């Protein structure tokens, strides 16, 4: 069953790609991209040192981007934690009407004011 799906998907993509090549602009665009990719491949085959440097540079750029995104995410979480602490302090300051007790949360000793 799985192989029929993959086969059908491959055939459909191939037929769709061939149909799209009926347009002259699309053919020129694809031809240009293939020629550029081929010339870059030949360049890197002739200059493997440049390829290694380009890979290192790309890796460093991605690593920096991931690190920056992680830092931003952690700062956001810290801000949320700080806001939740403020809300919790405000909740502790809410006075309950006489005779009412705060409800206990299932997780432990934290209380929630009955409203």
């Amino acid at each position: 069953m799985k192989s029929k799906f993959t086969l059908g998907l491959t055939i459909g993509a191939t037929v769709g790609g061939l149909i799209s090549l009926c347009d002259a602009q699309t053919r020129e665009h694809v031809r240009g991209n293939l020629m550029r990719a081929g010339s870059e491949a030949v360049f890197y085959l002739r200059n493997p040192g440049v390829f290694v440097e380009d890979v290192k540079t790309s890796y460093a750029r991605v690593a920096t981007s991931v690190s920056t995104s992680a830092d931003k995410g952690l700062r956001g979480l810290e801000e949320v934690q700080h806001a939740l602490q403020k809300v919790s302090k405000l909740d502790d300051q809410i006075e309950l009407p006489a005779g009412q007790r705060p409800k206990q949360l299932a997780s432990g000793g934290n209380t929630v004011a009955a409203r």
Side-chain angles (χ1 to χ4, degrees):
M1 188 66 121
K2 201 176 196 182
S3 63
K4 288 182 182 180
F5 175 75
T6 305
L7 178 63
L9 192 63
T10 304
I11 291 171
T14 303
V15 170
L18 291 173
I19 290 172
S20 71
L21 290 176
C22 290
D23 180 47
Q25 281 184 316
T26 304
R27 277 195 310 274
E28 285 301 315
H29 181 74
V30 169
R31 183 175 165 265
N33 284 344
L34 288 174
M35 290 181 71
R36 187 171 58 249
S39 66
E40 286 183 20
V42 169
F43 173 79
Y44 283 130
L45 286 172
R46 291 181 181 161
N47 302 292
V50 174
F51 176 74
V52 170
E53 284 301 314
D54 285 352
V55 169
K56 285 180 183 179
T57 302
S58 295
Y59 175 79
R61 191 177 325 125
V62 168
T64 301
S65 176
V66 168
S67 176
T68 301
S69 296
D71 287 343
K72 287 180 182 179
L74 287 174
R75 278 196 300 275
L77 287 174
E78 288 171 355
E79 289 175 14
V80 168
Q81 181 183 16
H82 184 67
L84 288 174
Q85 287 173 347
K86 283 184 177 181
V87 169
S88 178
K89 286 179 184 177
L90 288 174
D91 198 35
D92 290 343
Q93 295 172 358
I94 294 175
E95 291 185 27
L96 296 175
Q100 285 190 344
R101 297 179 60 209
K103 294 181 181 177
Q104 292 287 335
L105 291 177
S107 64
N110 295 337
T111 59
V112 175
R115 294 189 180 132

